[in-house]
Amino acid sequence: MAKVLILDQSKSVRNILRERLEYEGFSTEAVEDEAAASVLCEKIPFDVILSDTECKVPDAGIPFIALSSDTSIDTAVEAVRNGAQDFLTKPIDMNRLLQSLHRTIDNPNPAPAQAPPAAAPVRRSRRAHPAEAERIIGVSPEIEHVRQLIDKVAPCEARVLITGENGTGKELVARWLHAKSVRAAAPFVEVNCAAIPSELIESELFGHERGAFTSAVKQRKGKFEQADGGTLFMDEIGDMSLAAQAKVLRALQESRISRVGSDRDIEVNVRVVAATNKNLREEIHKGNFREDLYHRLAVIVVRVPPLREHAGDIPALVEHFIRTISAEYGSVPKPIDADALADLQRMPWSGNIRELRNVIERLIILSGDRITARDVKEYC
């Protein structure tokens, strides 16, 4: 999992970037000034920094991408001269940002002024093996029930609503539903409904024609078209606006969409899998979610249990994370004491499996030759 540091004075920008990048599989930290960024860079081996041009990037030998609200050529040239690997203007085009991040991480080439000293350790590529990352870890009855539901539901074409708290692994369930379906060879396309501003969600889902609005300089396919023949995973669908819900309902009813700025319908063959951390029945009662859309989506409901309900799986998850995180860092896996494991099993884990993974990474970085109960108490 690649690590990204977000350095921006705007809290809203930090939150939007962090949520979207974590949804895309990155591990992120976000700060508002150089001092805080420097402290984090000493503790965490980031792969790349996203920095607003109004902020000074720490001299830590880490490649960075410059972000700016100033679209002038002079600003872009100055950013590149200062060592930026790329220059992106705000509001950020997430597709371009993701391309830039992957390019920078896969082929890091910091400017000489930012190069790490010769004695600095070489950071390895920190990507988990795909087969390892996609496993569903656990042998508890709760996790076995989820596996059985996946096996039963995946081969059919029924729409699925995945429910559960943040960090429980809803996206992983969606990926397995796709992988075990007849659509496995076709695209699996993800969209985080909470990370996209309400005014842009329609364009993100259905695409737009050139000239449909001010920044629409070329035609763009939306997520429905990109997923044609495959699976569209709509995460955090409970955060979608009512206007967008109406458009999605029409797309599901008629299997056709219309790009923004076009009067032509396009047929799409898409299986929709949705996920939410909200109680949609309560949202319907509050008037925040359409009941007819709920019934379209919830043909099958798969509930992913919170970690506290299957704490017996924590030792297996810890072992898995120690192994994969150590491989990412290019280090030997550290042993963990039995009493440390017991302490981890007693923790409440409000952030669920995502929080557990972050804690294990922290323990690997900060502990000694082995992970002890004292380490758990001190760092967790």
Side-chain angles (χ1 to χ4, degrees):
M1 182 183 292
K3 285 191 163 301
V4 179
L5 175 62
I6 301 165
L7 174 57
D8 198 294
Q9 295 173 351
S10 168
K11 184 177 180 180
S12 62
V13 170
R14 294 198 305 270
N15 289 343
I16 289 172
L17 288 176
R18 185 168 193 172
E19 184 172 5
R20 179 63 187 269
L21 292 179
E22 288 186 352
Y23 169 75
E24 296 290 347
F26 294 92
S27 173
T28 68
E29 296 290 342
V31 293
E32 64 178 345
D33 55 45
E34 183 197 2
S38 297
V39 171
L40 280 179
C41 287
E42 291 177 0
K43 298 179 180 179
I44 301 173
F46 291 104
D47 293 284
V48 64
I49 298 174
L50 297 180
S51 176
D52 186 87
T53 52
E54 296 297 317
C55 301
K56 185 177 178 182
V57 181
D59 186 11
I62 301 171
F64 73 96
I65 297 169
L67 313 176
S68 179
S69 299
D70 186 349
T71 60
S72 69
I73 297 296
D74 290 342
T75 302
V77 170
E78 184 179 359
V80 174
R81 283 177 178 170
N82 290 336
Q85 300 293 298
D86 201 354
F87 176 85
L88 303 179
T89 57
K90 298 179 181 178
I92 303 299
D93 181 327
M94 289 306 303
N95 289 330
R96 186 179 170 196
L97 174 60
L98 292 172
Q99 291 173 0
S100 183
L101 280 171
H102 288 301
R103 185 168 59 247
T104 302
I105 292 167
D106 291 340
N107 300 289
N109 185 28
Q114 300 234 331
V122 176
R123 292 210 315 275
R124 312 253 178 130
S125 175
R126 306 186 317 114
R127 294 179 182 275
H129 189 279
E132 196 77 359
E134 291 174 5
R135 289 171 51 204
I136 296 179
I137 306 296
V139 295
S140 64
E142 292 82 2
I143 293 301
E144 188 56 36
H145 176 64
V146 172
R147 283 200 190 93
Q148 290 174 2
L149 279 176
I150 291 172
D151 290 340
K152 289 180 181 178
V153 174
C156 70
E157 288 290 288
R159 299 187 189 104
V160 181
L161 177 65
I162 306 170
T163 65
E165 298 176 6
N166 285 331
T168 52
K170 297 188 292 296
E171 180 186 344
L172 187 57
V173 171
R175 287 186 175 276
W176 272 109
L177 286 168
H178 175 73
K180 292 195 171 189
S181 74
V182 296
R183 298 172 178 261
F188 176 86
V189 177
E190 310 163 54
V191 58
N192 187 338
C193 302
I196 304 170
S198 57
E199 62 270 18
L200 298 179
I201 187 70
E202 188 177 346
S203 171
E204 188 75 12
L205 291 176
F206 308 118
H208 60 252
E209 296 292 343
R210 179 180 178 181
F213 44 86
T214 305
S215 58
V217 295
K218 62 179 181 179
Q219 185 189 77
R220 180 176 183 273
K221 289 185 177 181
K223 299 296 186 183
F224 270 87
E225 281 187 85
Q226 294 172 29
D228 192 31
T231 302
L232 176 61
F233 175 50
M234 303 181 70
D235 198 9
E236 304 302 350
I237 197 160
D239 293 291
M240 182 181 288
S241 68
L242 288 170
Q245 289 175 35
K247 298 289 182 66
V248 170
L249 178 63
R250 176 181 179 269
L252 297 183
Q253 287 173 333
E254 302 178 6
S255 296
R256 61 181 65 205
I257 57 98
S258 179
R259 294 179 188 150
V260 177
S262 172
D263 57 2
R264 182 173 67 90
D265 285 343
I266 301 171
E267 290 190 5
V268 288
N269 174 18
V270 173
R271 183 187 189 184
V272 171
V273 175
T276 182
N277 62 359
K278 294 185 174 181
N279 185 325
L280 291 188
R281 290 192 178 277
E282 288 185 2
E283 295 301 308
I284 291 169
H285 182 70
K286 295 176 184 176
N288 297 330
F289 201 83
R290 294 180 62 115
E291 186 172 10
D292 47 3
L293 178 58
Y294 172 80
H295 291 303
R296 285 279 176 179
L297 294 170
V299 177
I300 304 290
V301 178
V302 177
R303 176 182 177 270
V304 185
L307 186 54
R308 61 183 174 273
E309 291 184 10
H310 59 109
D313 289 326
I314 287 178
L317 287 163
V318 169
E319 179 186 355
H320 170 73
F321 289 142
I322 288 176
R323 187 172 64 253
T324 55
I325 294 169
S326 297
E328 291 170 6
Y329 280 106
S331 60
V332 177
K334 293 183 180 182
I336 182 168
D337 292 347
D339 51 352
L341 267 179
D343 287 345
L344 290 173
Q345 286 183 272
R346 286 191 288 267
M347 291 175 65
W349 299 115
S350 59
N352 295 295
I353 294 174
R354 183 184 297 141
E355 181 187 6
L356 175 62
R357 191 201 186 283
N358 291 342
V359 164
I360 296 305
E361 184 166 10
R362 187 185 311 150
L363 289 170
I364 288 173
I365 295 170
L366 300 177
S367 65
D369 294 335
R370 61 188 305 111
I371 300 171
T372 66
R374 182 177 180 180
D375 292 325
V376 172
K377 183 178 180 180
E378 184 172 355
Y379 302 124
C380 303

